[in-house]
Amino acid sequence: MAQLMVIYSTPADAAAFDKHYADVHTPLAKKIPGLRRFETSAGAIGTPSGPSAYHLIAILHFDDVAAIQAAFATPEGQAAAGDLRNFASAGVELLIFETKPA
């Protein structure tokens, strides 16, 4: 398996971010070909020492890294990636990695 982890910095207008994410971005993301599972953080994101600078984390599961790369080459993947500029102005980091059982 492989994951795409998307880490969103805290926006100036959290309510507007959350509305766009729920109403527009999530439906786009769920149409990405090859997506096996889609999860998002719920509630505040903290660190062992207190609050973090992050508002939301999304984890998208795929069969492997090649499937992630192929998915984002599709029109659906391009639409989801292109939508980031519409609501993630505070910053976003994307991490791609293979996973294995521990």
Side-chain angles (χ1 to χ4, degrees):
M1 293 292 288
Q3 294 181 359
L4 167 63
M5 182 179 294
V6 187
I7 305 170
Y8 296 95
S9 296
T10 301
D13 185 345
F17 176 101
D18 292 344
K19 180 166 179 37
H20 185 95
Y21 196 85
D23 295 348
V24 178
H25 194 70
T26 295
L28 288 173
K30 288 183 174 182
K31 292 179 183 175
I32 297 171
L35 179 66
R36 299 289 178 222
R37 193 165 88 207
F38 178 76
E39 303 171 296
T40 61
S41 57
I45 298 171
T47 71
S49 60
S52 76
Y54 303 110
H55 180 68
L56 186 121
I57 297 173
I59 304 171
L60 290 77
H61 299 257
F62 293 85
D63 289 337
D64 51 35
V65 169
I68 295 171
Q69 293 166 334
F72 282 91
T74 67
E76 297 88 351
Q78 290 293 306
D83 186 50
L84 292 174
R85 68 179 164 265
N86 296 324
F87 71 98
S89 59
V92 60
E93 187 169 355
L94 288 81
L95 306 171
I96 298 172
F97 52 93
E98 294 281 348
T99 60
K100 66 179 180 178

